[in-house]
């Protein structure tokens, strides 16, 4: 199928946060947490259970040892998701909040892949030819700055193809049997991939941008020698998926969050136009999971969302009734900063693929923006694997698209650039930290431009320039 106007969705998630110390993992903290789990389980309907977002408590100390979060690791004992209950979740959240053990209980609206809401593309009816053509010339985002990220230059430098870097994509589903995704991939390592065609095409397109194979046909990923794997949010939920990915990676590796979610602007309602959708770190459990990953030295790249929202708006400072008392708006940065790299969607060069979306690197109208957004990349006209509008037919493993879009298409470009930069840095003997990578993205790159009604002051940041990023500094 081609990109759809109505994106697929994950189930809503009920999250419970208990009271407790933000301290080291003492015997007392562990005992209190187990007691709270047992008592709150009694409040759940038949078949309901609590699942610990940060995994078994007896293994937590080993996973946080030596990280900045070790002194306050008991924080991670507080986060639970409710499994096995599907009806009356809002009422159940309210009932849980009435218990004095509970600091917060809230229902997260369904996550969606952040593909542009008006994406269009028809699956090609004819079967693919005996050999897929080489589409790399259509991947303008590989070109030199200011058009692209200059992957072509990076490929000439030791490590520039992402050697030694591992990437995990978090979303709904993928097709790792695709003819252009057979090398340097480890498949799905967590969660239960959705059978939905929209999720599967989306994940396949994302993987192609980052890690499409080096060969004479199809497309080529920005960092094709990085090892790419995936964790599905179906089953564990988004925060547990992030924690699972973080535990499978090491310092300097990369997580990509290919999700957004309806925010408070329109009372968390799902909408075909995605108005009001925001980056998932605004929710406390996702924020904690991202901070957990970053604390382990893992670089997190996060889609900024397609809600056309100013993330600096005062609306996002208001703590919802179900959020824990200590929550602060992460879009303000500072002490609440997640440490993730947030990505906005910019226009490709005018006329690319024969279409005009405004001046190159100007904010696309659907893209969220704000001081917290770190970098941008193409949010239209991205050629990659999946969907089948560029090459279709009866065999899904041969499908390609010319119109992948949204902060969906922008975030993998930034992820690919990060993996390439990390590969270059590693080859030179200096593996970069999340803070170093984010700072380098902000300090270099091709500057954002203005479009009518969308001035550059509506920040989505610069388009990465690998040659500038990797220059001595």
């Amino acid at each position: 199928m081609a990109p759809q106007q109505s994106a697929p969705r994950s189930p809503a998630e009920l999250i419970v946060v208990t009271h407790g110390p933000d301290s080291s993992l003492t015997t007392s903290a562990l005992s209190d947490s187990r007691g709270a789990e047992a008592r709150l389980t009694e409040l759940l309907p038949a078949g309901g259970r609590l699942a610990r977002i940060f995994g078994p408590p007896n293994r937590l100390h080993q996973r946080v040892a030596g990280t900045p979060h070790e002194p306050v690791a008991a924080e991670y004992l507080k986060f639970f998701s409710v499994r096995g209950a599907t009806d009356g979740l809002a009422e159940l959240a309210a009932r849980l909040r009435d218990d004095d053990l509970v600091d917060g209980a809230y229902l997260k609206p369904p996550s969606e892949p952040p593909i542009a809401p008006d994406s269009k593309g028809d699956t090609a009816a004819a079967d693919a030819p005996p050999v897929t053509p080489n589409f790399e010339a259509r991947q303008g985002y590989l070109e030199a700055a200011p058009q692209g990220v200059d992957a072509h230059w990076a490929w000439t430098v030791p490590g520039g193809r992402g050697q030694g870097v591992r990437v995990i994509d978090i979303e709904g589903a993928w097709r790792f049997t695709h003819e252009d995704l057979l090398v340097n991939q480890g498949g799905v390592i967590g969660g239960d991939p959705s059978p939905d065609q929209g999720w599967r095409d989306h994940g396949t397109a994302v993987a192609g941008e980052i890690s499409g194979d080096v060969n004479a046909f199809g497309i080529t990923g920005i960092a094709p020698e990085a090892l790419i794997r995936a964790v599905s949010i179906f089953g564990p939920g988004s925060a547990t998926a992030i924690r699972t990915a973080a535990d499978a990676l090491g310092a300097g590796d990369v997580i990509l969050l290919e999700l957004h979610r309806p925010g408070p602007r329109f009372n968390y309602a799902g909408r075909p136009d995605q108005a009001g959708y925001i980056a998932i770190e605004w929710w406390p459990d996702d924020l904690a999971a991202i901070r957990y990953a970053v604390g382990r030295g893992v670089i997190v790249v996060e889609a900024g969302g397609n809600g056309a929202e100013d993330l600096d708006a005062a609306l996002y400072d208001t703590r919802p009734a179900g959020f824990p008392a200590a929550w602060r708006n992460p879009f303000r940065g500072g002490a609440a900063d997640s440490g993730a790299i947030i990505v906005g969607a910019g226009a490709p060069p005018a006329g690319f693929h024969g279409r005009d979306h405004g001046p190159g690197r100007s904010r696309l109208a659907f893209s969220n923006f704000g001081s917290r957004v770190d970098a941008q990349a193409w949010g239209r006209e991205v050629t990659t694997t999946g969907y089948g509008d560029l090459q279709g037919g009866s065999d899904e493993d041969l499908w390609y698209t010319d119109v992948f879009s949204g902060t969906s298409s922008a975030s993998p470009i930034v992820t690919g650039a990060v993996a390439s930069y990390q590969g270059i840095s590693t080859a030179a003997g200096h593996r970069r930290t999340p803070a170093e990578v984010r700072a380098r993205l902000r300090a270099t790159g091709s500057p954002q431009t203005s479009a009518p009604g969308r001035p550059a002051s509506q920040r989505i940041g610069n388009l990465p320039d690998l040659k500038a990023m990797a220059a001595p500094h």
Side-chain angles (χ1 to χ4, degrees):
M1 294 176 66
Q4 301 172 14
Q5 186 172 17
S6 236
R9 296 175 178 173
S10 69
E13 299 177 49
L14 175 53
I15 306 298
V16 182
V17 186
T18 63
H19 289 291
D22 292 333
S23 64
S24 59
L25 290 167
T26 63
T27 301
S28 175
L30 289 167
S31 177
D32 289 347
S33 179
R34 290 188 178 103
E37 179 181 8
R39 175 167 147 186
L40 295 176
T41 297
E42 295 176 357
L43 299 178
L44 301 182
R49 64 183 180 88
L50 293 178
R52 289 184 178 271
I53 288 174
F54 290 93
N58 60 329
R59 294 186 173 185
L60 187 54
H61 182 268
Q62 293 174 312
R63 290 190 276 111
V64 299
T67 74
H69 297 300
E70 183 176 9
V72 292
E75 171 192 4
Y76 299 122
L77 298 172
K78 302 177 185 180
F79 289 88
F80 298 86
S81 62
V82 176
R83 308 276 178 85
T86 56
D87 298 325
L89 293 182
E91 293 79 7
L92 178 56
R95 190 160 68 249
L96 288 164
R97 285 195 296 269
D98 286 340
D99 193 284
D100 58 11
L101 289 176
V102 173
D103 189 19
Y106 52 93
L107 192 60
K108 293 197 302 187
S111 300
E112 299 179 19
I115 191 168
D118 58 350
S119 293
K120 294 180 175 66
D122 297 323
T123 301
D127 271 347
V131 177
T132 296
N134 192 322
F135 298 128
E136 190 176 309
R138 304 189 69 79
Q139 294 179 265
Y141 55 91
L142 301 176
E143 301 290 341
Q147 173 172 302
V149 301
D150 211 349
H152 289 154
W153 170 85
W155 297 343
T156 69
V157 179
R161 293 178 185 265
Q163 295 96 324
V165 181
R166 297 177 294 177
V167 178
I168 293 180
D169 178 33
I170 294 177
E171 49 177 293
W174 305 261
R175 193 168 181 92
F176 282 116
T177 55
H178 191 283
E179 65 169 357
D180 234 349
L181 296 174
L182 300 177
V183 183
N184 296 322
Q185 55 91 1
V188 180
I189 63 168
D192 303 310
S194 168
D196 185 280
Q197 180 78 61
W199 278 112
R200 187 165 66 250
D201 270 328
H202 186 274
T204 304
V206 166
E209 288 182 69
I210 300 166
S211 194
D213 296 342
V214 178
N215 50 42
F217 60 85
I219 55 89
T220 304
I222 296 170
E225 294 189 17
L227 174 67
I228 190 166
R229 294 175 290 172
V231 175
S232 177
I233 61 173
F234 286 84
S238 56
T240 301
I242 295 167
R243 190 270 300 169
T244 299
D247 288 344
L249 296 173
D253 291 327
V254 188
I255 289 172
L256 170 58
L257 303 180
E258 274 286 341
L259 305 164
H260 67 171
R261 191 177 284 134
R265 177 70 66 190
F266 298 105
N267 197 30
Y268 310 100
R271 300 166 52 105
D273 63 2
Q274 299 175 18
Y277 283 41
I278 56 175
I280 67 168
E281 68 172 45
W282 194 74
W283 281 266
D285 59 314
D286 291 310
L287 175 61
I290 294 169
R291 288 169 62 91
Y292 171 87
V294 172
R296 289 173 57 86
V298 176
I299 299 158
V300 178
V301 180
E302 179 183 10
N306 300 347
E309 283 290 301
D310 178 0
L311 299 182
D312 292 332
L315 168 69
Y316 299 109
D317 294 329
T318 301
R319 179 175 64 88
F323 281 15
W327 175 87
R328 298 293 181 271
N329 175 13
F331 299 152
R332 292 291 182 200
D337 195 324
S338 70
I341 294 162
I342 296 183
V343 179
F352 200 81
H353 290 171
R355 302 182 183 95
D356 190 347
H357 301 284
R361 305 185 313 283
S362 62
R363 183 180 75 85
L364 292 168
F366 60 76
S367 179
N368 291 339
F369 59 94
S371 57
R372 182 59 187 82
V373 182
D374 296 294
Q376 64 157 296
W378 289 25
R380 297 282 191 188
E381 309 302 333
V382 169
T383 301
T384 183
T385 42
Y387 289 107
D389 55 275
L390 177 59
Q391 176 172 288
S394 58
D395 187 347
E396 199 176 323
D397 284 338
L398 307 180
W399 286 6
Y400 294 83
T401 180
D402 237 3
V403 292
F404 195 42
S405 64
T407 52
S408 277
S409 64
S411 299
I413 292 175
V414 173
T415 300
V418 166
S420 175
Y421 173 62
Q422 187 70 288
I424 294 169
S425 300
T426 301
H430 185 178
R431 200 162 173 86
R432 303 291 178 174
T433 67
E436 288 175 324
V437 174
R438 188 166 78 171
R440 199 67 183 150
L441 285 168
R442 282 181 167 255
T444 63
S446 302
Q448 180 180 346
T449 63
S450 294
R454 302 190 298 278
S457 58
Q458 295 178 342
R459 178 185 170 86
I460 57 170
N462 300 338
L463 175 68
D465 174 355
L466 279 164
K467 194 171 187 179
M469 280 185 79
H473 59 281

